[in-house]
Amino acid sequence: MPETGGIQARPRRERTSPCIGVCSTTFGDLVCRGCKRFAHEVVDWNGYEADQRLAIWRRLAALRDASVAAFVSVVDADALEAAAARMHIAPVPEQTPLTLAYETLRRTRGAPDFAALGLATSPAGAAIPPAELFATISREFLTRSTAAYERNFRIPAE
């Protein structure tokens, strides 16, 4: 392991689950308000094969990135990467600039400095107070995930 000032640093491990510890499926939601997975995916996650998990990760990434793109765009990828590094956001496999934008906005909910993050708001994003932008993106992500559930299973997710 690499040494850092006499303290051994642990190598970064990939997340084993999309769970963020805010599960609403225990309250009957068919789509989790935290990780945006379908309830059956939350329950069955540990029994899935690697390719099944990867398909879920990819669906969530696509929905998240589309939700971000509805409100912001990345105008300076280098500035975004530098801001993420300052926030100790470690790169993950298949990470897109929009994924990185989501993570930086999640950590700067108060009043993000879009220029310092290498981001710009879209016309839809400009109409939202900066302090509410991340919550709006998160709601959009949940809406898109719920629509995917309803489209695939033909069951309204209430």
Side-chain angles (χ1 to χ4, degrees):
M1 273 192 255
E3 295 267 345
T4 54
I7 300 172
Q8 289 190 346
R10 291 184 182 169
R12 167 120 164 77
R13 293 187 356 206
E14 291 182 36
R15 290 175 49 197
T16 58
S17 164
C19 181
I20 62 168
V22 185
C23 192
S24 66
T25 61
T26 58
F27 301 110
D29 288 345
L30 294 175
V31 177
C32 179
R33 293 175 188 269
C35 68
K36 312 319 188 253
R37 284 180 294 169
F38 306 153
H40 67 273
E41 294 170 340
V42 172
V43 171
D44 296 336
W45 185 260
N46 290 329
Y48 286 157
E49 298 292 329
D51 61 329
Q52 293 171 300
R53 291 180 183 180
L54 182 59
I56 294 166
W57 278 109
R58 286 184 173 159
R59 183 193 73 235
L60 293 173
L63 293 171
R64 181 191 53 240
D65 286 359
S67 300
V68 172
F71 299 99
V72 300
S73 60
V74 177
V75 294
D76 186 345
D78 292 335
L80 179 60
E81 288 178 14
R86 283 190 305 275
M87 294 179 198
H88 306 287
I89 299 171
V92 294
E94 300 184 29
Q95 180 171 273
T96 68
L98 290 170
T99 296
L100 205 52
Y102 181 86
E103 289 302 320
T104 58
L105 289 170
R106 183 172 66 83
R107 294 186 187 196
T108 59
R109 292 184 205 181
D113 180 348
F114 294 105
L117 295 175
L119 305 175
T121 55
S122 69
I128 300 164
E132 296 176 22
L133 188 61
F134 179 79
T136 301
I137 292 169
S138 187
R139 280 191 303 275
E140 179 68 19
F141 184 10
L142 179 61
T143 297
R144 288 172 186 255
S145 195
T146 300
Y149 181 89
E150 292 174 353
R151 182 175 52 253
N152 289 308
F153 298 101
R154 308 280 190 258
I155 299 169
E158 297 177 356

